[in-house]
Amino acid sequence: MQLRDTERFTELLYLKGLSQRKLAEQAHVSQAFISMLARGRRGARPETAWRIASALGVCSHELFTVEPARLTRLARTATDTAALCKAAPSPPSPPSPSPPSSPPLPSSPLRPTAA
């Protein structure tokens, strides 16, 4: 999830009197993560987005949105996979198993002998 508006995020930090470090402590993430998030360099998982939004006193859907690039990547991957499946030659059929051959019957060792 990406921030909807990085300026609004910075404004909320200011209004709450929080530094990035303090927010990071409250949300149980690193200050570096908050910095990258504020600059639009990182997205957050839903549970992390919720912790950050809660620390700022807002709902996560007000502060974050689903990353469009991720949706595009997923759609492109699905399209590419479907195209590859259509373009790929069918694998050769495995040879059909022939029925097992029976071993030759042994000749009977017990033949009646002429007496």
Side-chain angles (χ1 to χ4, degrees):
M1 300 177 79
Q2 293 285 27
L3 283 174
R4 287 185 184 273
D5 184 353
T6 56
E7 290 178 13
R8 173 74 175 138
F9 178 73
T10 305
E11 180 185 8
L12 282 170
L13 281 173
Y14 176 77
L15 291 174
K16 295 290 181 181
L18 293 172
S19 64
Q20 288 185 355
R21 183 176 303 278
K22 266 299 198 202
L23 175 61
E25 288 173 11
Q26 290 181 11
H28 304 287
V29 295
S30 69
Q31 184 275 323
F33 178 81
I34 296 294
S35 175
M36 288 188 287
L37 189 67
R39 290 180 288 144
R41 304 269 177 157
R42 276 296 295 268
R45 292 182 298 177
E47 60 272 10
T48 307
W50 180 84
R51 289 196 315 260
I52 292 168
S54 294
L56 291 171
V58 296
C59 294
S60 59
H61 70 274
E62 293 176 60
L63 196 56
F64 291 92
T65 184
V66 175
E67 179 184 346
R70 182 179 171 118
L71 292 176
T72 303
R73 263 195 319 271
L74 290 174
R76 186 173 49 241
T77 300
T79 304
D80 292 347
T81 302
L84 287 173
C85 289
K86 288 179 184 175
S90 300
S93 303
S96 57
S98 56
S101 58
S102 305
L105 295 174
S107 56
S108 175
L110 303 174
R111 292 188 177 201
T113 55

